[in-house]
Amino acid sequence: MLQTRYQLQRGRIRPFQSVKPEEFRNKLTEISPFFLFSFPISFPSVLYMDSSFKEEYGNPVSFLRVDGPIIVGAGPSGLAVAACLKQNGVPSLILERSQCIASLWQQKTYDRLKLHLPKKFCELPFLSFPENFPKYPTKHQFISYMESYARHFSIEPIFNKVVETAEFDHVRQFWRVRTQDFEYRSRWLIVATGENADSLIPQIQGIEQFRGPVIHTSVYKSGSEFRNQRVLVVGCGNSGMEVSLDLCRHNASPHMVIRNSVHILPREMFGISTFSVAMKLLKWLPLRLVDKFLLLVANFTLGNTERLGLRRPKTGPIELKNATGKTPVIDVGALSQIKSGKIKVMEGVREITKTGAKFMDGQEKEFDSIILATGYKSNVPIWLKDTGFFTKDGMPKTPFPDGWKGGNGLYTVGFTRRGLLGTSSDAINIAGDIAEQWRIIEGFESSCTSHILPI
């Protein structure tokens, strides 16, 4: 009979009594060999190794066995899945590389940013936005909502934990998640770092020789820093359009590079958000027919954008978004500035010079600053090892709505290319799936309690 001091009891450590390890272990593995890893031959239950354990056994503590899932990332996706798990009675542990929740929103967005969709489409599960928030909340209001969400569900991530590697131990059947100073182990791993984890910096010939500042929109805050400057904005997505508009309002002269074709849609149609119109129509009409309707209304309200140098893709806006993740631009005022000539539209950059840029159409202009509105990318390939579930670009190989679950207890949330609605769908699915497993495990543990003998 083995004498030990600690037994895990739903996320805490309490004294426990004696049991034959072989008997405890064999009972579980009769049901499923998957449980083998949690019950080492020398101990009768899963242990959180802490200072007490070290003092008792004299072994250095280098890892922590996590009872519930490990969630990587404390953005909206990580918070949503943690809340859904909690609603199902499942604890979790969130590892976050920064010092705050929703770090992309708090640290890498510009001041004028607002939600492009009405707030009802941007709510996370089980908690609505405050009623006094406007239809399109500001950046700061959305951050406030995220903070309230974390408090409401008592979600407390571990901050400043950079996940360096995460890999599945096929021998012992659990996930090893290594940070800069520790290793966490769990049956389940939830990847919640999302589609926009790191800045995407393109290779542009000659950019290293430019004498002025070159920044990504992730560090851009306000056009006040560029007052009276000639600014080259590389990229014409939502960020490029809004940064160019912001620069105009601070008396700068933005020149926006159109690298690819782009769909521009009005934010509202007939007093209703364009997204709402699309969602309602999709309930009754085929996707391509809805796309044709959106483009018809857009051309009527915005005019022919191709005359302004803004070519539309051949694929419709919703179909393109679903297939590639490329979001249509929601116009919030930039188009009128393009029509007035305050925002100059330029063809692709051929080369950056010491004082400016040469363009594909042969023009050459001087600039004081360059802003890269080139978007973001997934960072999953950097740290998640050998799963075969993600593409080389860090996106699930299986498309929405089935891309939330991999093998060996691997889950993903926030990779749907469908914004926060997709995130909520993933979070609910993941929590339900893990909760089902959790209830089975709890039943096993209750059954095994009868084998614990008094000292």
Side-chain angles (χ1 to χ4, degrees):
M1 192 74 68
L2 179 70
Q3 302 286 331
T4 64
R5 287 185 57 201
Y6 301 107
Q7 179 185 24
L8 182 66
Q9 182 67 21
R10 292 284 67 81
R12 61 189 178 88
I13 298 173
R14 65 176 178 82
F16 95 107
Q17 291 142 1
S18 310
V19 66
K20 290 181 180 179
E22 295 85 357
E23 181 181 352
F24 189 83
R25 176 184 174 110
N26 291 339
K27 180 175 178 61
L28 293 179
T29 54
E30 281 174 10
I31 303 167
S32 171
F34 185 69
F35 298 122
L36 189 64
F37 78 91
S38 293
F39 303 94
I41 193 67
S42 56
F43 302 108
S45 187
V46 184
L47 295 174
Y48 275 118
M49 292 189 174
D50 65 357
S51 58
S52 300
F53 185 91
K54 181 178 179 180
E55 291 169 6
E56 176 74 8
Y57 297 101
N59 296 323
V61 178
S62 59
F63 71 89
L64 179 69
R65 177 71 177 86
V66 180
D67 200 17
I70 296 171
I71 303 170
V72 182
S77 298
L79 298 181
V81 75
C84 290
L85 286 165
K86 181 159 285 191
Q87 290 294 96
N88 281 275
V90 182
S92 61
L93 177 71
I94 302 181
L95 302 177
E96 167 57 41
R97 64 181 176 178
S98 71
Q99 72 277 18
C100 63
I101 64 168
S103 61
L104 178 65
W105 282 85
Q106 297 213 50
Q107 300 173 351
K108 297 184 178 183
T109 51
Y110 38 91
D111 294 340
R112 65 164 283 113
L113 180 64
K114 292 184 179 180
L115 295 182
H116 292 139
L117 305 182
K119 61 184 179 182
K120 68 178 180 179
F121 295 113
C122 300
E123 294 175 345
L124 298 183
F126 308 117
L127 188 67
S128 299
F129 279 93
E131 290 185 4
N132 64 335
F133 275 25
K135 185 177 182 179
Y136 301 97
T138 66
K139 158 189 171 176
H140 299 292
Q141 288 170 328
F142 184 73
I143 292 170
S144 172
Y145 169 68
M146 288 288 95
E147 292 172 339
S148 297
Y149 192 87
R151 286 194 300 270
H152 181 81
F153 292 102
S154 300
I155 300 171
E156 297 180 352
I158 302 179
F159 296 115
N160 300 308
K161 292 293 182 181
V162 178
V163 174
E164 297 178 345
T165 62
E167 57 187 332
F168 188 70
D169 188 324
H170 290 275
V171 176
R172 302 186 67 186
Q173 293 289 297
F174 60 73
W175 286 93
R176 297 176 181 268
V177 181
R178 298 183 181 91
T179 66
Q180 69 272 31
D181 57 3
F182 215 67
E183 178 175 296
Y184 300 84
R185 299 178 181 179
S186 174
R187 185 187 315 272
W188 303 283
L189 174 65
I190 302 175
V191 180
T193 49
E195 307 161 11
N196 301 314
D198 289 341
S199 304
L200 179 60
I201 309 296
Q203 296 291 326
I204 303 177
Q205 183 178 345
I207 197 167
E208 70 284 347
Q209 64 180 325
F210 183 67
R211 292 174 178 173
V214 179
I215 68 168
H216 189 268
T217 47
S218 58
V219 297
Y220 176 92
K221 297 302 177 186
S222 168
S224 60
E225 304 170 27
F226 302 89
R227 192 178 301 275
N228 299 322
Q229 289 190 21
R230 291 168 58 86
V231 183
L232 180 65
V233 179
V234 180
C236 62
N238 281 297
S239 293
M241 289 282 189
E242 291 202 28
V243 165
S244 296
L245 177 61
D246 192 49
L247 289 167
C248 279
R249 292 177 176 174
H250 288 87
N251 295 320
S253 177
H255 289 62
M256 185 173 61
V257 175
I258 310 298
R259 299 188 298 160
N260 299 298
S261 56
V262 59
H263 279 302
I264 302 178
L265 301 176
R267 184 160 70 173
E268 295 192 344
M269 296 179 173
F270 319 114
I272 305 172
S273 80
T274 298
F275 187 78
S276 297
V277 171
M279 292 300 99
K280 290 176 182 177
L281 291 176
L282 284 171
K283 293 180 180 179
W284 307 101
L285 300 173
L287 183 149
R288 292 191 177 183
L289 192 57
V290 174
D291 269 344
K292 287 183 178 180
F293 174 79
L294 295 179
L295 292 177
L296 181 66
V297 176
N299 287 333
F300 178 75
T301 57
L302 302 177
N304 185 352
T305 58
E306 294 198 12
R307 295 177 180 176
L308 304 172
L310 302 167
R311 294 179 294 105
R312 288 192 182 276
K314 294 181 180 179
T315 307
I318 300 177
E319 185 179 1
L320 187 66
K321 169 67 173 172
N322 291 347
T324 68
K326 187 174 181 180
T327 304
V329 171
I330 303 299
D331 181 51
V332 293
L335 202 58
S336 65
Q337 300 298 318
I338 293 173
K339 291 176 180 178
S340 70
K342 291 183 178 179
I343 297 176
K344 303 289 193 303
V345 173
M346 309 299 297
E347 289 191 19
V349 174
R350 181 161 60 86
E351 179 186 2
I352 300 295
T353 65
K354 292 181 180 180
T355 59
K358 295 178 181 178
F359 298 91
M360 293 298 186
D361 61 2
Q363 292 190 69
E364 182 174 358
K365 293 182 178 293
E366 293 188 352
F367 296 102
D368 301 299
S369 302
I370 298 176
I371 298 175
L372 302 175
T374 47
Y376 296 85
K377 62 181 179 180
S378 166
N379 67 6
V380 172
I382 297 174
W383 56 270
L384 185 62
K385 306 302 179 185
D386 304 324
T387 66
F389 185 71
F390 286 86
T391 67
K392 61 181 178 59
D393 296 321
M395 297 294 291
K397 292 179 180 178
T398 305
F400 180 84
D402 302 315
W404 55 272
K405 184 178 181 179
N408 298 320
L410 175 67
Y411 297 86
T412 71
V413 56
F415 292 85
T416 64
R417 292 172 168 161
R418 283 164 174 78
L420 294 173
L421 277 178
T423 289
S424 295
S425 173
D426 280 354
I428 292 169
N429 287 333
I430 292 168
D433 195 67
I434 293 178
E436 185 176 347
Q437 300 171 52
W438 183 264
R439 284 189 288 270
I440 294 172
I441 294 169
E442 289 223 302
F444 295 156
E445 290 185 347
S446 298
S447 173
C448 291
T449 302
S450 60
H451 292 263
I452 298 178
L453 307 175
I455 293 178

